[in-house]
């Protein structure tokens, strides 16, 4: 059906985005079968590091005192400081309120204890089903680190996994902390040494193959600092070029890079102590051009890098941009970046991922992102309408399906998805 009325066009776009099924390509969420690695509930929401950083700006207590508190005490402090004594207008605060509202809770009551009671009264299994259905989520991709002893045990024990939770093999320890990784790999029976010998490279490749197979990983991933460089004579660069890229190509598993972190600028804040830096886009050009048969997924943390990244994606079809990561996951920046990407790339990118670590965050991150992305698409279809091109409802639904799921499935080419 052709849509020529601008008001009707906006409505159709909004509905298409709202109904589009989501494949969330990057999260830090685990299935409930992984025990206490699965984080959920109001206290977990409130004590997430976004809100910790906000709180410590306005509460004059030593960091050590805050970390000595129980989780409930921390949540009480954060609720009081950010929601009672101040207006909760930051994106992280609004996110908590969106979660509560979408769950049918009375936000205007400001009654933290009643919110806790809601989570006590619902089973984890019922809650997971409710959130998936509420947000139209088909699949989420986890972040899976075999160097984490608690998580490693789950995989080695063959812990059953909800099929909606897909795995991604995380390589941070291997690529960023080789002495630590080397010791662990030796303990696990891999023939490796710190000298990066041919045997070591072979052992690392075998490790990657083993864990991709065990997890059925849909991609390999690493978070990298803003000053990451390649090529260079370092363990990280050697492993990427001599191990990760060959295995990625041979097994058809994309390599995802999240680049731009400035780690622990304030160690007292713990996980909240990281910041952002601008990276050199030449690194992306080098990898995409040198390895045209490999597939690379890239998200960059710095706002200043986004234009360069979009231009680079126009040049290399083996490069898939995904999401507005971490400090960029704010509506004003999501809108700006998505608008630029549509103007440069059409619909051939992945506009968002949740990066959620607490399960409940899926609600607000997708509610907020979909609303912002819909606004951009409405404007773009109206631009087309002004040229005389009349969009069809089926075409708009197709585009939404591509952005929120099909682009990833087509790029990853994995039957599990």
């Amino acid at each position: 059906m052709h849509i020529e009325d601008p008001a009707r066009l906006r409505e159709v776009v909004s509905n298409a985005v709202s109904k589009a099924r989501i494949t969330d390509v990057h999260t830090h969420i685990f299935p409930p079968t992984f025990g206490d690695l699965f984080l959920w509930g109001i206290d977990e929401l409130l004590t997430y590091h976004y809100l910790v950083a906000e709180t410590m700006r306005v509460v004059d207590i030593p960091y050590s005192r805050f970390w000595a508190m129980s989780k409930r005490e921390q949540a009480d402090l954060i609720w009081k400081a950010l929601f009672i004594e101040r207006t909760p207008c930051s994106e992280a605060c609004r996110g908590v309120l969106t979660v509560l509202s979408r769950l049918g809770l009375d936000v205007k009551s400001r009654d933290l204890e009643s919110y806790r009671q809601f989570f006590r009264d619902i089973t984890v299994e019922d809650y997971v089903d409710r959130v998936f259905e509420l947000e139209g989520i088909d699949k989420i991709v986890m972040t899976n680190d075999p160097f984490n002893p608690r998580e490693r045990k789950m995989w080695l024990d063959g812990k059953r996994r909800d099929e909606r939770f897909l795995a991604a093999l995380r390589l941070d320890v291997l690529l960023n902390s080789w002495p630590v990784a080397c010791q662990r790999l030796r303990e696990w029976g891999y023939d490796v040494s710190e000298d990066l010998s041919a045997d070591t490279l072979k052992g690392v490749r075998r490790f990657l193959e083993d864990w991709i197979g065990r997890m059925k990983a849909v991609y390999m991933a690493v978070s990298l600092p803003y000053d990451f460089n390649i090529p260079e004579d370092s363990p990280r660069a050697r492993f990427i070029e001599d191990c990760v890229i060959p295995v990625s190509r041979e097994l058809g598993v994309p390599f995802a890079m999240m680049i731009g972190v400035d780690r622990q600028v304030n160690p007292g804040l713990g996980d909240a102590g990281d910041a952002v830096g601008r990276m050199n886009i030449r690194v992306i050009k080098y990898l995409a051009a040198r390895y045209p048969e490999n597939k690379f997924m890239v998200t960059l943390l710095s706002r200043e890098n986004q234009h360069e990244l979009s231009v680079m994606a126009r040049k290399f079809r083996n490069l898939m941009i995904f999401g507005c990561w971490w400090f960029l996951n704010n509506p004003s920046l999501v809108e700006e970046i998505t608008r630029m990407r549509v103007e440069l790339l059409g619909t051939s990118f992945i506009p968002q991922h949740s990066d959620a670590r607490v399960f409940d965050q899926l609600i607000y991150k997708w509610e907020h992102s979909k609303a912002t992305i819909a606004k951009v698409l409405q404007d773009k279809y109206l631009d087309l309408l002004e040229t005389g091109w009349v969009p069809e409802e089926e075409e708009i639904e197709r585009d939404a399906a591509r952005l929120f799921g099909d682009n990833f499935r087509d790029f990853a080419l994995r039957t599990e998805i």
Side-chain angles (χ1 to χ4, degrees):
M1 178 187 300
H2 287 83
I3 308 166
E4 299 188 60
D5 176 64
R8 173 62 180 155
L9 182 58
R10 285 191 177 276
E11 180 184 358
V12 169
V13 173
S14 180
N15 289 338
V17 170
S18 178
K19 292 188 296 185
R21 305 297 296 181
I22 294 167
T23 297
D24 193 338
V25 305
H26 172 60
T27 78
H28 295 268
I29 296 171
F30 298 93
T33 53
F34 277 43
D36 61 3
L37 290 173
F38 175 78
L39 304 178
W40 70 301
I42 185 62
D43 286 351
E44 293 290 355
L45 268 176
L46 289 173
T47 56
Y48 189 60
H49 65 77
Y50 291 2
L51 293 166
V52 170
E54 272 191 61
T55 299
M56 298 309 286
R57 283 184 56 79
V58 299
V59 174
D60 187 18
I61 63 172
Y63 298 137
S64 58
R65 179 179 164 192
F66 177 83
W67 296 120
M69 294 177 177
S70 68
K71 187 173 292 291
R72 184 186 178 96
E73 290 171 335
Q74 291 174 352
D76 286 339
L77 175 66
I78 290 169
W79 182 257
K80 181 173 182 286
L82 300 184
F83 293 81
I84 303 302
E85 295 179 344
R86 291 166 181 80
T87 300
C89 53
S90 74
E91 178 65 5
C93 287
R94 183 172 77 109
V96 173
L97 300 179
T98 296
V99 171
L100 298 175
S101 178
R102 286 288 282 155
L103 292 173
L105 301 177
D106 182 10
V107 174
K108 69 178 180 293
S109 75
R110 308 184 184 188
D111 184 357
L112 180 55
E113 192 53 39
S114 71
Y115 308 146
R116 286 176 169 142
Q117 188 62 47
F118 168 85
F119 288 100
R120 287 194 290 265
D121 289 343
I122 192 170
T123 67
V124 172
E125 294 76 16
D126 287 346
Y127 187 61
V128 169
D129 290 342
R130 180 170 178 175
V131 171
F132 270 86
E133 184 56 35
L134 194 64
E135 297 308 314
I137 299 171
D138 284 336
K139 308 280 187 182
I140 64 172
V141 183
M142 304 179 284
T143 293
N144 304 108
D145 180 6
F147 291 94
N148 181 319
R150 293 164 63 204
E151 185 180 350
R152 176 181 172 83
K153 184 177 186 302
M154 298 293 178
W155 292 106
L156 294 179
D157 289 348
K159 186 67 68 175
R160 186 180 62 82
R161 182 170 93 227
D162 187 323
E163 65 180 11
R164 294 171 295 186
F165 292 74
L166 304 174
L169 175 58
R170 189 69 172 229
L171 306 178
D172 289 37
V173 177
L174 176 68
L175 297 182
N176 296 328
S177 303
W178 172 235
V180 174
C182 181
Q183 181 179 342
R184 297 282 176 81
L185 290 177
R186 283 200 299 263
E187 292 171 357
W188 299 336
Y190 294 95
D191 183 14
V192 298
S193 60
E194 290 194 29
D195 63 3
L196 307 186
S197 64
D199 284 340
T200 293
L201 298 176
K202 182 179 178 181
V204 169
R205 288 194 292 268
R206 184 164 69 87
F207 164 76
L208 297 175
E209 292 165 355
D210 288 348
W211 278 89
I212 288 171
R214 179 174 285 115
M215 295 175 171
K216 297 182 179 179
V218 295
Y219 62 77
M220 292 181 282
V222 63
S223 177
L224 295 162
Y226 70 93
D227 57 357
F228 163 61
N229 192 34
I230 195 169
E232 67 175 13
D233 186 18
S234 68
R236 177 167 58 203
R238 287 286 305 280
F239 287 143
I240 288 175
E241 295 207 71
D242 295 339
C243 301
V244 175
I245 286 178
V247 171
S248 171
R249 182 171 58 249
E250 291 161 14
L251 298 185
V253 177
F255 178 38
M257 293 174 287
M258 294 162 278
I259 311 172
V261 180
D262 189 1
R263 293 288 183 194
Q264 292 295 282
V265 298
N266 185 352
L269 286 173
D271 288 344
D274 296 341
V276 56
R278 181 173 180 173
M279 61 91 63
N280 186 344
I281 203 74
R282 181 196 60 78
V283 169
I284 306 302
K285 178 181 73 173
Y286 170 81
L287 290 170
R290 185 172 178 82
Y291 303 103
E293 296 180 4
N294 280 77
K295 293 185 176 182
F296 300 96
M297 296 170 57
V298 175
T299 190
L300 303 182
L301 192 53
S302 169
R303 173 179 179 264
E304 288 69 31
N305 276 136
Q306 301 308 313
H307 181 235
E308 296 171 307
L309 179 61
S310 293
V311 171
M312 201 62 64
R314 284 174 60 91
K315 309 307 170 185
F316 297 101
R317 64 182 178 187
N318 62 336
L319 172 59
M320 175 62 75
I321 297 176
F322 70 103
C324 297
W325 177 38
W326 200 346
F327 299 117
L328 295 177
N329 195 357
N330 294 297
S332 60
L333 296 175
V334 173
E335 179 176 349
E336 171 191 318
I337 293 166
T338 303
R339 194 175 296 276
M340 177 187 63
R341 289 173 176 172
V342 171
E343 291 168 356
L344 284 168
L345 302 172
T347 59
S348 64
F349 65 99
I350 299 168
Q352 191 55 300
H353 61 270
S354 72
D355 198 28
R357 193 175 298 268
V358 180
F359 186 73
D360 321 73
Q361 291 172 335
L362 290 172
I363 297 174
Y364 93 76
K365 292 200 174 187
W366 283 112
E367 287 285 329
H368 295 183
S369 290
K370 274 194 164 184
T372 302
I373 294 166
K375 179 181 178 181
V376 172
L377 293 177
Q378 287 169 340
D379 290 347
K380 292 304 162 190
Y381 287 118
L382 287 170
D383 288 345
L384 291 176
L385 196 62
E386 289 183 0
T387 71
W389 180 277
V390 182
E392 295 187 2
E393 186 168 353
E394 294 79 6
E395 294 171 343
I396 294 169
E397 291 173 349
R398 173 203 62 195
D399 293 345
R402 281 180 174 163
L403 289 167
F404 291 100
D406 291 350
N407 283 345
F408 176 65
R409 284 190 288 271
D410 292 345
F411 188 79
L413 291 178
R414 303 291 286 174
T415 57
E416 294 91 340
I417 306 174

